[in-house]
Amino acid sequence: MAVGSSTSTPTTQTATAATAAKSASGVAASMNSDTFLTLLMAQLKNQDPTKPMDSTAYVGELATFSQVEQATKTNSKLDSLLSSSFLAQADQIIGRTITSADGNTTGEVQSVKITSEGALARLTNGKDVLLAQGISLSQ
């Protein structure tokens, strides 16, 4: 990713970094504070020494860094909260019979595995059912 040449202005470098970040929106989930710091350091290394970054722009960059850090922490806490919720749900359905939303898969829940998609129930017949909206539970 090109951050900018040594003759570009800090504004151009910031715009280039922002454009690159927007174009990589599919990779946004893997971006974190380390990625932001890497971009900031590259920007500082490649700035024109005769036109250093404006102090207000630098403060803006640091504020953005703070927001990225807070968003990372919030996502981590939300993941923990969701996992706790899925585990509480899992405890209530083990041993019960469930039917998938489309009605094609039915069976007794043997175990529950927490995945990135949500809670996945393993049935005694070996099939898996994602615990999502539309499933039916029975004794």
Side-chain angles (χ1 to χ4, degrees):
M1 165 183 9
V3 177
S5 67
S6 61
T7 59
S8 64
T9 64
T11 306
T12 304
Q13 292 171 349
T14 304
T16 303
T19 303
K22 285 180 184 177
S23 68
S25 62
V27 187
S30 66
M31 293 187 74
N32 57 22
S33 58
D34 293 334
T35 307
F36 181 82
L37 281 177
T38 302
L39 287 171
L40 180 62
M41 291 308 297
Q43 181 177 353
L44 290 173
K45 284 179 187 177
N46 294 312
Q47 71 180 342
D48 184 356
T50 61
K51 298 177 189 169
M53 179 185 276
D54 181 25
S55 62
T56 56
Y58 187 71
V59 170
E61 297 276 342
L62 289 177
T64 302
F65 170 70
S66 177
Q67 290 173 342
V68 168
E69 187 69 25
Q70 287 297 354
T72 302
K73 288 179 182 179
T74 300
N75 286 343
S76 175
K77 290 182 189 264
L78 284 173
D79 286 342
S80 296
L81 183 62
L82 282 172
S83 292
S84 295
S85 174
F86 288 145
L87 289 173
Q89 184 182 23
D91 184 46
Q92 296 175 3
I93 67 164
I94 292 178
R96 295 179 70 181
T97 302
I98 67 168
T99 304
S100 63
D102 60 6
N104 293 334
T105 308
T106 301
E108 183 179 337
V109 179
Q110 178 181 12
S111 64
V112 177
K113 179 180 178 182
I114 307 301
T115 67
S116 61
E117 296 176 0
L120 188 66
R122 171 65 54 115
L123 307 180
T124 54
N125 60 13
K127 295 183 179 182
D128 292 330
V129 175
L130 184 63
L131 300 178
Q133 188 174 4
I135 64 163
S136 305
L137 282 174
S138 61
Q139 295 291 2

